Amino acid sequence: MNARLELRRLAVLIIFNLILSFSFSKEIYAQTEKDEKETSEIDYKKEAPDFELPNLEGEIVKLQDYNDKILVLHIATTWCPFCNAEAPHLEKLYQEYKSKGVEVLIIDVKESKELVEQQLKNKHNLSFPILLDTDGSVAASFAPENILPDLARDEVMLASNLIIDQEGKIRFMSLLDSKNFDAKLLDLKAKLNELL
């Protein structure tokens, strides 16, 4: 049964990458102020959906806890190779920017605490909070409506990065783009530097 679940996850990831690679242009996946005038299916400066999720210690974390901070949010699973490639760079970003009022969170989708702790937190020595979205509803709440309509909304958001400003507005959103994958988070850092 475990092998069947892993095959399903791999199939979803392959289909996801194929659709992204062939169906959409790069402009859909990363939106910043400079392309504000361009047509995009991602709402720019949209209010971030509120959430309450437990962290690995069982404490409830709310979006409101980050008022007056800039929040970098990454949506992940342990089986996603893109998420695993970005994890060490998220830790470096956190160490570099935390003194400037920037916080980092990972929201893990539909996985157990034990798995996330072992395969994400410990594997990558992450020092910032990881939240557990056990049913995928929070990840789904961030998904733009018309992007990849054939995928579950939580799956659309895997390996995505967002910047939420001090007023709770989404100022940057990048969805997985396997052709232009930015593991080192260069576009995200550029936007952070603009906002600071």
Side-chain angles (χ1 to χ4, degrees), residues 94-131:
Y94 177 61
Q95 295 303 327
E96 183 179 343
Y97 286 88
K98 67 181 177 180
S99 64
K100 300 174 184 179
V102 175
E103 297 289 337
V104 175
L105 284 179
I106 287 180
I107 294 179
D108 183 89
V109 180
K110 295 182 178 176
E111 295 184 306
S112 72
K113 174 188 174 227
E114 296 75 24
L115 181 64
V116 173
E117 201 161 42
Q118 180 184 23
Q119 294 296 316
L120 200 53
K121 183 180 174 86
N122 296 343
K123 180 179 178 181
H124 299 291
N125 296 314
L126 302 178
S127 61
F128 54 82
I130 300 172
L131 310 183

Side-chain angles (χ1 to χ4, degrees), residues 142-185:
F142 282 94
E145 285 183 33
N146 298 319
I147 303 285
L148 300 172
D150 294 335
L151 286 182
R153 298 292 81 200
D154 59 328
E155 291 172 350
V156 168
M157 294 307 295
L158 294 181
S160 65
N161 292 296
L162 298 94
I163 297 175
I164 301 171
D165 70 12
Q166 298 93 327
E167 298 174 1
K169 303 274 196 241
I170 297 172
R171 299 295 300 271
F172 175 91
M173 178 186 284
S174 65
L175 300 181
L176 176 61
D177 177 1
S178 59
K179 288 174 78 176
N180 300 292
F181 182 55
D182 181 18
K184 293 184 179 180
L185 310 172

Side-chain angles (χ1 to χ4, degrees), residues 33 70 163 165-166 171-172 190-196:
E33 264 180 23
I70 292 177
I163 297 175
D165 70 12
Q166 298 93 327
R171 299 295 300 271
F172 175 91
K191 185 60 179 181
L192 267 181
N193 291 332
E194 277 181 39
L195 293 172
L196 292 173

Side-chain angles (χ1 to χ4, degrees), residues 28-44:
I28 291 175
Y29 308 119
Q31 181 155 2
T32 60
E33 264 180 23
K34 65 186 173 194
D35 57 9
E36 189 173 352
K37 295 177 186 172
E38 296 176 14
T39 304
S40 174
E41 295 181 70
I42 296 175
D43 291 335
Y44 180 70

Side-chain angles (χ1 to χ4, degrees), residues 56-70:
L56 294 177
E57 292 73 40
E59 301 160 338
I60 298 298
V61 176
K62 303 174 188 175
L63 178 60
Q64 298 165 356
D65 297 340
Y66 295 91
N67 287 352
D68 302 324
K69 300 267 187 185
I70 292 177

Side-chain angles (χ1 to χ4, degrees), residues 10-25 29 82 148 151 176-179:
L10 183 58
V12 167
L13 189 59
I14 290 168
I15 291 168
F16 185 62
N17 283 316
L18 288 172
I19 292 170
L20 288 178
S21 296
F22 299 115
S23 300
F24 299 99
S25 65
Y29 308 119
F82 300 99
L148 300 172
L151 286 182
L176 176 61
D177 177 1
S178 59
K179 288 174 78 176

